[in-house]
Amino acid sequence: MKASEYDAHATVSSSATCDVQEHAWAVSEPVPSPELSIIVPTYNERDNVVELVRKLDQCLAGVSWEVIFVDDDSSDGTLERIRTLSRGDRRVRLIQRIGRRGLSSACVEGMLASTAPYLAVIDGDLQHDERLLPRMLSLLKQGDLDIVVGSRYVAHGSLGEWDKSRAAISRLATKLSRLVIPADLTDPMSGFFMLRREVLADRVRKLSTIGFKILLDLFASSPRKLNFKELPYQFRNRHAGESKLDSVAGWDYVMLLLDKLIGHIVPVRFVAFAIVGGMGVLIHLLVLSALFEWLKRPFVESQAVATYVAMTFNFTINNLLTYRDRRLAGWRWLRGWISFTLVCSIGALANVGIASYLYQRDTGWIPAAIAGILVGVVWNYAVTRTYTWSKEGK
Ligand SMILES: Nc1nc2c(ncn2[C@@H]2O[C@H](COP(=O)(O)OP(=O)(O)OP(=O)(O)O)[C@@H](O)[C@H]2O)c(=O)[nH]1
Ligand SMILES: [Mg+2]
């Protein structure tokens, strides 16, 4: 970056640094932190990041800003591009997350890594209109608003070239969002907004950070009604690269809504784990009847095969859905499968042990079986959560 740009940068945010300048150790001229951090979640956006920074630079003249890319270990060279940019321009920062996925959690981590009083979130594929950022900032600086949202649904906003089915799905998701946000926000699915730091601080511990919909999460986690304003923008086509929105995004969305509705009573991951477990029982019975009834294999052999098929099914589906943000691949998948089957085998022993104990003490067979199943599911959930899908992603 040119020296003159740094000078402008320092002048704008000098008020934020007066405390630091009083410190005895601040012998050289301190470089003030920016007033606006723009958080960009990225996953395989190699051919978009340079153009995005160029456009930010163009539209944010006179503003003290930085951009924080939060990248989930892209494999297409995005990281190298961002590092190259960052070496030449200290306004460009990078957080690389390993063994993790998720747009919402990436945005939250980016916001927490900044000290700026104003925080914006924008996609990395240039679909959002970055030219709204200066207006968002000046509206927030007036002091009455908590958050300014880029909306595709207010007058003069549009979905761009979305086909009918995608527009219908987005409208349905917007309607469903009313279950958890009473606000008359027209575009809670928007991923483009700017907020004051205090707004994040007030609700950061209540966020679900599941899936793609961080704005909805912020509104639904609010202890009080947020003062917001929506600005229209026209959703553009992707500049380069491919969409990361897959068929499982709908599942994430339902989990986010469920977490907001019942998460304070029971963890939503546990609900998902139990649903998958129920599906596993059906698979078990199907395989068992195929082997034992139709193929006339011995019962013990059929039961053993059915058990391992059901466990593998459960592991695969939980890896794809319940633990989508920590999903395992390659060797880690195999190691995860081994730990999952070991833990679930102990869970099955506990299940049978508890159920037999209760049955022998004249508890009816149905309550005894349910108690056994509950103990087994809770054990399996609690232990695989720690060992199979550990947060550290090891
Ligand atoms: N860090 C991180 N970023 C992600 C992840 N998934 C998507 N992103 C980024 O989030 C932004 C939005 O994702 P897109 O795939 O463009 O989703 P979308 O805009 O709703 O869908 P399209 O209109 O099809 O592009 C992009 O900058 C992605 O690179 C993820 O798991 N981790
Ligand atoms: Mg996009």
Side-chain angles (χ1 to χ4, degrees):
M1 185 169 49
K2 284 182 246 131
S4 57
E5 285 176 65
Y6 276 118
D7 290 343
H9 176 61
T11 315
V12 176
S13 50
S14 59
S15 62
T17 64
C18 47
D19 288 349
V20 176
Q21 282 170 342
E22 280 161 16
H23 280 95
W25 46 261
V27 283
S28 54
E29 189 63 28
V31 180
S33 64
E35 66 174 341
L36 171 66
S37 286
I38 301 152
I39 315 302
V40 186
T42 53
Y43 188 69
N44 292 344
E45 302 288 0
R46 185 193 57 212
D47 296 326
N48 291 322
V49 289
V50 176
E51 182 59 10
L52 177 65
V53 174
R54 195 186 67 76
K55 280 184 181 283
L56 291 176
D57 187 48
Q58 231 170 31
C59 73
L60 288 168
V63 175
S64 149
W65 61 277
E66 68 179 352
V67 56
I68 304 180
F69 289 97
V70 188
D71 189 279
D72 284 350
D73 216 13
S74 292
S75 54
D76 70 339
T78 306
L79 285 157
E80 291 67 27
R81 285 267 161 100
I82 299 171
R83 282 200 188 96
T84 308
L85 273 171
S86 183
R87 275 184 210 111
D89 186 343
R90 71 162 72 182
R91 296 173 304 178
V92 179
R93 292 175 53 196
L94 168 65
I95 297 174
Q96 177 180 4
R97 305 196 306 170
I98 295 174
R100 313 259 308 277
R101 281 294 305 273
L103 194 158
S104 286
S105 62
C107 292
V108 173
E109 278 177 46
M111 291 194 262
L112 291 176
S114 138
T115 55
Y118 300 102
L119 304 161
V121 171
I122 190 167
D123 281 359
D125 55 3
L126 299 133
Q127 288 186 291
H128 297 152
D129 191 342
E130 70 292 330
R131 291 170 302 176
L132 284 188
L133 290 168
R135 177 136 168 70
M136 288 175 160
L137 183 63
S138 69
L139 281 167
L140 283 180
K141 280 180 157 181
Q142 287 168 17
D144 297 331
L145 294 170
D146 294 313
I147 183 163
V148 183
V149 177
S151 170
R152 298 160 294 184
Y153 293 114
V154 285
H156 308 298
S158 89
L159 292 172
E161 292 178 13
W162 274 16
D163 57 33
K164 276 191 184 148
S165 62
R166 188 157 179 201
I169 292 171
S170 175
R171 269 194 296 274
L172 174 68
T174 304
K175 280 202 182 114
L176 283 175
S177 74
R178 303 293 170 221
L179 289 169
V180 295
I181 47 167
D184 40 355
L185 187 65
T186 65
D187 196 359
M189 302 295 119
S190 175
F192 181 31
F193 56 89
M194 191 186 292
L195 75 168
R196 290 187 294 110
R197 163 164 300 285
E198 305 86 83
V199 177
L200 172 76
D202 285 352
R203 47 199 57 70
V204 67
R205 289 183 174 77
K206 295 199 172 71
L207 293 173
S208 307
T209 62
I210 300 173
F212 266 57
K213 300 303 168 194
I214 178 64
L215 181 68
L216 175 74
D217 203 354
L218 278 164
F219 270 82
S221 309
S222 235
R224 63 174 175 83
K225 194 173 181 297
L226 286 173
N227 279 336
F228 69 90
K229 183 174 175 65
E230 292 182 286
L231 299 181
Y233 80 99
Q234 300 187 349
F235 202 67
R236 301 175 186 142
N237 287 335
R238 232 177 195 280
H239 179 253
E242 282 168 16
S243 170
K244 314 301 164 329
L245 204 65
D246 56 18
S247 50
V248 188
W251 163 273
D252 277 344
Y253 186 59
V254 172
M255 287 297 127
L256 172 61
L257 293 182
L258 270 183
D259 192 43
K260 290 295 167 224
L261 291 169
I262 59 159
H264 54 290
I265 304 168
V266 55
V268 73
R269 264 198 226 268
F270 177 74
V271 175
F273 192 87
I275 294 172
V276 175
M279 286 155 54
V281 172
L282 293 179
I283 298 287
H284 183 116
L285 293 176
L286 269 177
V287 176
L288 180 64
S289 44
L291 293 173
F292 183 59
E293 286 284 324
W294 301 332
L295 298 175
K296 306 290 176 212
R297 304 298 306 166
F299 178 77
V300 175
E301 179 192 314
S302 308
Q303 173 73 352
V305 172
T307 302
Y308 277 90
V309 172
M311 279 186 191
T312 306
F313 169 86
N314 283 8
F315 171 70
T316 309
I317 303 296
N318 277 316
N319 194 46
L320 279 178
L321 299 178
T322 317
Y323 290 98
R324 188 164 142 72
D325 54 335
R326 304 181 203 168
R327 81 194 85 150
L328 307 169
W331 279 110
R332 290 174 61 229
W333 191 97
L334 189 63
R335 211 167 55 179
W337 177 82
I338 292 170
S339 76
F340 185 85
T341 48
L342 280 176
V343 170
C344 293
S345 304
I346 299 171
L349 286 177
N351 173 346
V352 174
I354 298 277
S356 320
Y357 175 83
L358 291 176
Y359 180 68
Q360 280 156 17
R361 268 154 192 73
D362 290 336
T363 311
W365 68 271
I366 293 180
I370 290 175
I373 290 169
L374 273 178
V375 168
V377 172
V378 171
W379 159 269
N380 291 349
Y381 169 72
V383 184
T384 58
R385 183 169 172 260
T386 311
Y387 289 104
T388 308
W389 290 283
S390 70
K391 261 192 180 161
E392 290 73 28
K394 284 176 191 149

